Amino acid sequence: MAWKILLPQEIMAEGRQLLEDAGHTIIDGRGFETADVLADMKEHQPDAMIVRITPITRQVIETNPNLKVVVRHGAGFDALDVKACHDNGVQTLYAPVANSASVAETALLLILECSRNVIALRKTWVNAYYEAKLKLRKNTIGGKTLGIVGCGNIGSRLAVRALAMNMNVLAYDPFKPAADFPDGVEVVRDLDRIFTESDYVSLHAPNTPVTHDLVNRERLAMMKPTAFLINTARGGLVVEEDLYAACKNGVIAGAGLDAIRKEPVDPANPLLTLNNVIIYPHIGGNTSEAAHRASYFAALGVQEVYEGKTPTWPIHDIDYATAPTYTDTKKPNRIPAGLFDY
């Protein structure tokens, strides 16, 4: 017997077609908010749900005893109560590779925009052309050091792109063996090295009890005054009050953010007032290509569970405080790029 599948937000045609071709009934949700999903759960009692942006709470899960699987349309799943799902026998899946390239490109874009001081340039060049051209800070990224915190799907893709642009790359991820890092990357196990040695520190870790508030006043103070913080992961990794003070007072050169604590942004957020901070509305994974991939992979996950197969991309319960970690390292087989290389 086919399933009823709830879509709180629309998915792309490929994913919808896969489910319809399999004979499932699609239920288009009534709205984006958690209360809307709760009402749909009570009314329709769907077998499965593909969720894009709505926070899914324990109350939502426990309202529907018929629910068998929830799929997160994308890579991040901190808005989904995974434990509540598993406590109630609901499988949880996601699409971790669907938008990895898009987010890696966004991180690289923020690195480039920070390096060229784009906000100050945009505000200056029309009325003060020569000041913008000759006086404002602008840097190349070739020969600079990129430090990556979290080297999974996205961090690894960023590393490869940065190496292609002649950057030196340090990467920290205690839950990954050194052999699994991209070639050309120096694997480090001392997180402080990332902050003290890098010209750009890019965050690609989930928001967990281990990583929450990872970047605070102490870590920002370790960074070079010419360095930038890049965050395309989760706002919870950064103490925003400390970042504001560091960028305002010249502790670091600035920041490029695609994730902040409160989304949508509070217009009163003081980070918005700074010329050396770039903020995007969390759109790193929101390219057209990534949406098509995520929709298809999410629908494929529902179909895998329906057919009794082992799903390709399950979400596992991980206790990061007790998970096994690695201490092995790896040096790149390349000469570090420098200022006068050509």
Side-chain angles (χ1 to χ4, degrees), residues 145-149 151 159 163 167-173 178 181-190 193-194 197-198 328-334 336:
T145 297
L146 169 64
I148 295 175
V149 179
C151 203
L163 289 166
M167 298 188 80
N168 305 307
V169 180
L170 307 178
Y172 172 87
D173 191 327
F181 286 72
D183 290 338
V185 166
E186 181 177 353
V187 178
V188 300
R189 300 305 185 183
D190 179 1
R193 280 193 61 195
I194 297 290
E197 298 181 25
S198 300
D328 55 333
T329 59
K330 183 169 72 172
K331 291 276 190 179
N333 185 23
R334 63 192 292 268

Side-chain angles (χ1 to χ4, degrees), residues 29-52:
R30 67 190 68 192
F32 280 31
E33 301 301 326
T34 301
D36 297 317
V37 179
L38 184 61
D40 286 328
M41 283 284 188
K42 290 178 179 178
E43 178 180 350
H44 300 289
Q45 299 284 293
D47 300 273
M49 173 172 62
I50 297 174
V51 61
R52 297 186 71 168

Side-chain angles (χ1 to χ4, degrees), residues 14 37 66 90-91 137 169 205 218-219 221 224 237 251 280 305 321-322:
E14 296 92 338
V37 179
N66 194 47
V90 177
Q91 292 199 61
R137 172 198 54 77
V169 180
E218 290 73 26
R219 285 226 161 85
K224 303 175 185 178
L237 274 61
V251 175
Y280 295 163
V305 176
T322 60

Side-chain angles (χ1 to χ4, degrees), residues 77 154 176 214 252 307:
F77 50 84
I154 297 169
K176 184 173 182 174
L214 177 76
I252 65 174
E307 294 177 359

Side-chain angles (χ1 to χ4, degrees), residues 85-98:
C85 289
H86 293 170
D87 286 348
N88 288 276
V90 177
Q91 292 199 61
T92 54
L93 316 178
Y94 67 144
V97 299

